[in-house]
Amino acid sequence: MHPALAVCLVFCGCCSNVVFLELLVRQFPGCGNIVTFSQFLFIAVEGFIFEANFGRKRPAIPMRYYLIMVAMFFTVSVVNNYALNLNIAMPLHMIFRSGSLIASMALGIIILKKRYSLSKYTSIALVSMGIFTCTFMSAKQVASDSSLNEEDGLHVFLWWLLGIAALTFALLMSARMGIFQETLYKQFGKHSKEALFYNHALPLPGFVLLAPNIYHHAVLFSQSEPFQIPVIGLTMPIMWFYLLMNVITQYVCIRGVFILTTECTSLTVTLVVTLRKFVSLIFSILYFHNPFTAWHWLGTAFVFVGTLMYTEVWNSLGPLLTRWRKRPKEE
C-alpha cells in the first residue's frame, strides 16, 4: 500500500475515532470498559483469522514474552480509559498522553543508560512545560466550578487528582512497554502485526473481571434512542452505532500506523502520529466546544513543538527548503 494512503488511514481513522469516543463518553462517562473490550475483541478476531491463520501459525516471539507485554498493554488501555471517569476532560486526556516522549526518555536513561543531545533535552522541557500548563489550568477550572459547593468541589478536585495520577501511571507503563518491545524486536526481529494480534487477544479473559460494568453499559446502550443507518437502512440503538463506528475507526487507525511502520522511517511515523494528535485535539475542541483558554493553546503549542523538535523534523526540512530556494535561481 502506498504510504500516502496509509497517512490518510491514520488521519481519517484516528480523528473519526476521537469523535465517536467523545460521543460515547459524553452520554455515558463510565463506558470506557465496554469500548476497550469491543476494540480488543474486534482486532483479536481479525488477527486470529488473517494473522494466526485460525491458530495454525506459531508465533515468532515466545509466548511468555507476549504475556508480559500483554499485561502492560492491558493495564495501560484500561487505566487510560478509566481516567475519563475521574473528571479528566478529553482535550487534557489527549494532551497528557502526547507526553509519552518524557516518560520514554526518562526510562531510557534509567533502564537502557541512554544519553541524548541538548536539542532532545530542550524538546522534552517544552513538552513538560506544555503538559504542566494545561494540567494547571484544568485544575483551576475544576477547582473553581461555580455549580458546586465547597465540599462537593473538593470531592471533584480530589477525583481529578486521582485521574492525573492514573494518566501518569499509564504514561510510565506505556514507556516501559515500548522499551520492552524494543528489546524483543532486537532479539527476535520485527513482528508488528503478530504483536498487535497477541496484545489484543491474550487480554480478553481479563475482561471477565469487568463483566458487570460491561454488561451494565451494554444494557444502557440498548436502551438508547433508535438510529437508522444511512444507505443500509438498518435501525439500531444510537449508542451501539457510535460504538461500532469507534471500533471500526480504531482498527483503521491502527492498521494505518502499522502500514506506515513497514513503509516509512520511524521519523515519518512519529511526525504523522504527532500531527494526527494535534488535528484530533483541534477537531475535538471545535466540534464539541470544549473549554480551552489561551493558556491551554500555549501549552498545546509547547507540547507539539517539543515533539516535532524531538523527531528532528527541522533537520529533514532544512535541505528541502534549501533546494526550493535555489530553484528560481537555477531557472
Side-chain angles (χ1 to χ4, degrees):
M1 184 180 291
H2 196 276
L5 182 56
V7 172
C8 290
L9 289 178
V10 172
F11 274 87
C12 295
C14 296
C15 293
S16 301
N17 177 260
V18 169
V19 173
F20 289 110
L21 176 60
E22 187 147 357
L23 286 170
L24 289 164
V25 170
R26 278 174 170 258
Q27 188 70 27
F28 299 106
C31 69
N33 290 330
I34 191 173
V35 172
T36 307
F37 171 70
S38 301
Q39 293 173 352
F40 275 51
L41 181 63
F42 182 87
I43 295 174
V45 170
E46 187 274 341
F48 181 73
I49 297 172
F50 297 105
E51 172 60 24
N53 192 20
F54 295 95
R56 291 193 290 266
K57 180 181 176 183
R58 294 177 60 84
I61 298 176
M63 191 61 65
R64 63 180 182 275
Y65 294 115
Y66 277 126
L67 290 173
I68 298 173
M69 192 189 306
V70 160
M72 297 180 180
F73 185 71
F74 179 77
T75 303
V76 169
S77 298
V78 171
V79 171
N80 269 326
N81 280 320
Y82 192 75
L84 293 171
N85 302 348
L86 303 172
N87 299 325
I88 299 295
M90 183 63 74
L92 177 61
H93 190 276
M94 295 164 63
I95 293 170
F96 209 98
R97 292 180 67 180
S98 298
S100 55
L101 290 176
I102 309 170
S104 297
M105 174 175 277
L107 293 187
I109 293 172
I110 295 170
I111 298 174
L112 301 178
K113 310 299 181 184
K114 288 186 176 181
R115 292 295 178 265
Y116 300 93
S117 64
L118 179 61
S119 64
K120 289 285 194 295
Y121 288 116
T122 304
S123 67
I124 293 304
L126 282 173
V127 173
S128 303
M129 190 182 304
I131 290 177
F132 173 79
T133 301
C134 291
T135 304
F136 180 74
M137 294 309 298
S138 293
K140 288 182 65 177
Q141 288 178 352
V142 171
S144 62
D145 192 336
S146 58
S147 64
L148 300 171
N149 58 44
E150 185 176 346
E151 183 178 349
D152 289 340
L154 178 62
H155 180 74
V156 169
F157 181 67
L158 289 176
W159 278 110
W160 179 86
L161 285 178
L162 183 61
I164 293 297
L167 286 177
T168 303
F169 171 80
L171 201 64
L172 293 172
M173 180 64 74
S174 178
R176 183 64 185 90
M177 183 178 68
I179 292 175
F180 184 69
Q181 286 177 315
E182 183 179 337
T183 56
L184 284 183
Y185 289 156
K186 284 181 179 178
Q187 184 176 355
F188 299 102
K190 291 188 176 182
H191 302 279
S192 301
K193 201 166 188 294
E194 178 184 288
L196 180 66
F197 164 61
Y198 284 106
N199 278 343
H200 288 81
L202 293 179
L204 286 177
F207 284 99
V208 172
L209 301 174
L210 307 172
N213 180 269
I214 293 173
Y215 176 76
H216 172 67
H217 283 91
V219 172
L220 292 177
F221 282 14
S222 298
Q223 294 172 350
S224 61
E225 61 182 281
F227 173 78
Q228 187 175 42
I229 303 176
V231 182
I232 301 177
L234 179 66
T235 301
M236 64 190 305
I238 192 167
M239 297 306 293
W240 282 113
F241 172 74
Y242 289 157
L243 181 62
L244 175 64
M245 295 306 297
N246 175 268
V247 168
I248 293 174
T249 52
Q250 173 73 3
Y251 175 74
V252 170
C253 176
I254 289 180
R255 285 288 293 155
V257 172
F258 167 73
I259 294 167
L260 278 179
T261 59
T262 59
E263 299 288 339
C264 306
T265 64
S266 60
L267 171 64
T268 303
V269 175
T270 306
L271 177 60
V272 170
V273 172
T274 301
L275 293 178
R276 189 275 301 171
K277 289 178 181 177
F278 183 73
V279 172
S280 298
L281 176 65
I282 301 302
F283 193 84
S284 172
I285 293 165
L286 296 178
Y287 187 82
F288 292 102
H289 306 289
N290 284 311
F292 221 65
T293 65
W295 286 104
H296 284 92
W297 283 113
L298 180 62
T300 302
F302 281 151
V303 169
F304 289 102
V305 169
T307 303
L308 293 177
M309 184 183 294
Y310 183 90
T311 62
E312 297 180 353
V313 67
W314 321 115
N315 296 340
S316 300
L317 292 177
L320 293 177
L321 291 174
T322 302
R323 287 198 295 269
W324 182 79
R325 288 171 180 171
K326 288 181 178 179
R327 185 176 299 173
K329 296 180 181 180
E330 293 174 356
E331 292 174 356

